[in-house]
Structure formats: C-alpha cells, structure tokens
C-alpha cells in the first residue's frame, strides 16, 4: 500500500512580520497566501498571537473570506482565541503553547502535565465543526494523551530534528528522526491524523516527508526566507518538489 498524499500548508506569518516592521499594508499576507496556493500550497496557516506581533485579526478575517483552500488557525487555547475561532470558523485550529517572551513556538503543548483547559477547548471547537490539532512533542505517550483528549489530529514538533540538521549532528538527526517515526506510527495506529512542522527547510524536509503516516506539513519561516532570493512562487515550488522527493522514498 502506498503512502497517502502529503499536503503542504504554507504559514504566512512572517509576511506580516515584514509588513509590521514599517506599519502600513505592504507586503500583504493575503496576497502571499494566494500566491502560495497558485504555486502548490494545499492550505494556509496563520498564527494569531496574543500580542498580534505578526498576523492581526483583520488578516484572519480576510484569509477566511478570500481563500479557496483550507485555513488553519494556529492559536493558544485561551478564551479570547477560542471566541475568535468560533466566530471565524476556519477549516482547522491548531492549538499551540504560547509564551509572550518566546521568538517562536518553542515546544509542543504539555498535554500530559497541564491539559485541564484543553479538553473543553477541543470540545467547543469541534462542536463548531472545526478540525482540531494539537501541536505536540513526538512521543508515544503524548499520542495516547492526545487520543484521550479526543483530538482528531496532532502536529508533531519537528524543531529539535531541524536544529540537529542545522548543526550537522548526525547522531541527533538519527535519534530525532526515530522519535518522529515512532510517534507517527503509534499515533496513526491509534487513529490520529498526523501532521508535522516547525523549522522545516529544504535540507530537512525530505526525511520527514518520507514518514508515511504524516499527511500534512506546515512550513513558514524558511519558505519566506527563500522567497527573498527566489520569489515566493519559486520557493513554494521548490519545497513542494523536495517534499515529493522525500515521499517517493516510501516503499510502495
Ligand atoms: N506549525 C506550528 C504549530 C507552528 O507554531 C509553526 C510556527 O509558527 C509552524 C508550524 C511553522 O514553523 P516554521 O515557521 O518554523 O516553518
């Protein structure tokens, strides 16, 4: 049996970061989202942070109105964000931990230790027909905890694997890939849909794309960085091609 298709969700947060550096309306993240879709993105992801440092409420509303592909609303499980998500009704919501002082989402949700607030959040979002995913560490017991919380989807945090690739640390690369593989295999076995993301770049994406249980990758920072040199269209196409190369390694 061949692996299911692998979707690419393009995260356009950092188009908004550049816009906000000067105020005003350029570059427009919604225009970037539409270009990414034309170049082969299957969906668009945007993270509305508490401090609105990049994406703003109006961006989310425009993305929902103007896009013809699924919108994945990345958010902390706060009452403010849940209220906004239930009004907006995106295709999906990815619940992430959020710390004001962090530069990016540093780790997965602690769904084993501190999950009391997540159960009602998941229930409420699912009740509105929103597909909920939990951004989590790639560990077997975390997959079990996600299942227990009745989340249909998990997004495995690929950050530590990507750091190992950047450092060129072969032993850590092997170790981190094995963690991802084992978590994906176990998660899929117990009925979870498996996504992955964070830090993925052209030199790290193939091995993750080769994990057959993963059906969606969400990628932002490296794509927007490459777009500076090659344009967004070319950056998305190159990422798509690298993902397809990785997927082709899965035995039929
Ligand atoms: N997935 C989740 C849940 C994230 O928080 C992020 C970062 O916003 C990404 C994917 C994309 O990560 P990156 O921008 O490093 O590609």
């Amino acid at each position: 049996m061949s692996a299911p298709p692998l979707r690419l969700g393009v995260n356009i947060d950092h188009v908004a970061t550049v816009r906000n550096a000067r105020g005003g309306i350029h570059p427009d993240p919604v225009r970037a989202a539409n270009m990414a879709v034309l170049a082969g993105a299957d969906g668009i992801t945007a993270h509305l942070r508490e401090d609105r440092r990049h994406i703003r409420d109006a961006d989310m509303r425009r993305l929902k109105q103007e896009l013809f592909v699924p919108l994945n609303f990345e958010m902390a499980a706060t009452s403010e964000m849940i209220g906004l998500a239930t009004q907006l009704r995106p295709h999906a919501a990815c619940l992430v931990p959020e710390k004001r002082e962090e530069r990016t989402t540093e780790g997965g949700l602690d769904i084993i230790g501190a999950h009391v607030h997540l159960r009602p959040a998941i229930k409420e979002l699912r009740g509105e027909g929103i597909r909920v995913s939990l951004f989590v560490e790639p560990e077997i017991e975390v997959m079990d905890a996600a299942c227990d919380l009745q989340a249909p989807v998990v997004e495995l945090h690929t950050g530590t694997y990507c750091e190992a690739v950047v450092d060129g640390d072969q032993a850590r690369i092997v170790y981190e890939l094995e963690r991802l593989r084992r978590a994906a295999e176990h998660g899929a076995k117990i009925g979870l849909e498996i996504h992955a993301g964070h830090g993925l770049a052209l030199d790290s994406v193939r091995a993750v794309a080769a994990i057959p249980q993963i059906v969606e990758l969400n990628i932002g920072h490296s794509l927007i960085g490459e777009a500076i040199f090659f344009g967004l269209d070319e950056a998305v196409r190159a990422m798509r091609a690298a993902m397809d190369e990785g997927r082709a390694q899965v035995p039929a």
Side-chain angles (χ1 to χ4, degrees):
M1 203 180 71
S2 61
L6 182 57
R7 300 189 297 267
L8 170 61
V10 170
N11 179 315
I12 40 90
D13 291 351
H14 296 304
V15 179
T17 304
V18 176
R19 174 195 63 192
N20 298 354
R22 278 289 168 100
I25 58 170
H26 296 292
D28 177 12
V30 181
R31 181 176 169 200
N34 281 313
M35 279 195 76
V37 171
L38 287 175
D42 301 291
I44 295 297
T45 295
H47 184 176
L48 186 66
R49 281 183 166 266
E50 181 204 8
D51 62 8
R52 311 303 199 262
R53 69 176 70 158
H54 37 58
I55 293 294
R56 295 175 180 152
D57 302 52
D59 297 323
M60 292 305 298
R61 286 195 293 274
R62 285 182 57 224
L63 286 165
K64 170 69 181 159
Q65 278 164 11
E66 295 180 31
L67 283 177
F68 294 104
V69 296
L71 172 62
N72 180 25
F73 183 163
E74 229 186 83
M75 54 184 261
T78 59
S79 50
E80 182 200 18
M81 288 301 153
I82 291 162
L84 287 170
T86 54
Q87 276 169 29
L88 195 72
R89 295 168 137 268
H91 170 76
C94 179
L95 300 181
V96 301
E98 196 176 292
K99 289 190 239 127
R100 199 168 250 269
E101 66 282 8
E102 71 190 355
R103 267 185 295 191
T104 182
T105 315
E106 283 165 356
L109 286 164
D110 178 8
I111 61 171
I112 294 181
H115 64 264
V116 186
H117 65 301
L118 288 175
R119 199 177 287 277
I122 294 166
K123 193 165 176 217
E124 187 171 352
L125 293 166
R126 290 191 74 182
E128 294 293 332
I130 301 168
R131 188 199 68 190
V132 179
S133 72
L134 303 180
F135 188 44
V136 291
E137 295 299 321
E139 296 292 344
I140 286 184
E141 57 275 26
V142 174
M143 301 300 103
D144 291 332
C147 220
D148 179 58
L149 284 169
Q150 299 192 335
V153 183
V154 287
E155 181 166 327
L156 304 180
H157 196 307
T158 50
T160 44
Y161 156 68
C162 292
E163 276 167 23
V165 173
V166 170
D167 295 346
D169 183 336
Q170 282 306 322
R172 258 174 61 224
I173 291 172
V174 170
Y175 175 80
E176 292 296 339
L177 270 177
E178 194 50 30
R179 275 177 82 210
L180 288 163
R181 283 195 197 105
R182 283 161 48 100
E185 194 178 336
H186 182 73
K189 205 176 280 169
I190 60 175
L192 294 166
E193 180 173 317
I194 314 290
H195 301 178
H198 207 280
L200 290 168
L202 283 172
D203 56 355
S204 49
V205 78
R206 289 178 184 80
V208 176
I211 300 174
Q213 294 85 6
I214 295 177
V215 297
E216 179 175 310
L217 298 179
N218 286 299
I219 307 179
H221 186 264
S222 75
L223 270 176
I224 304 306
E226 286 297 289
I228 291 171
F229 303 105
F230 302 108
L232 185 58
D233 181 90
E234 186 52 39
V236 172
R237 286 178 200 280
M239 185 59 77
R240 181 81 257 173
M243 284 167 57
D244 292 345
E245 271 174 46
R247 202 58 157 191
Q249 292 168 22
V250 178

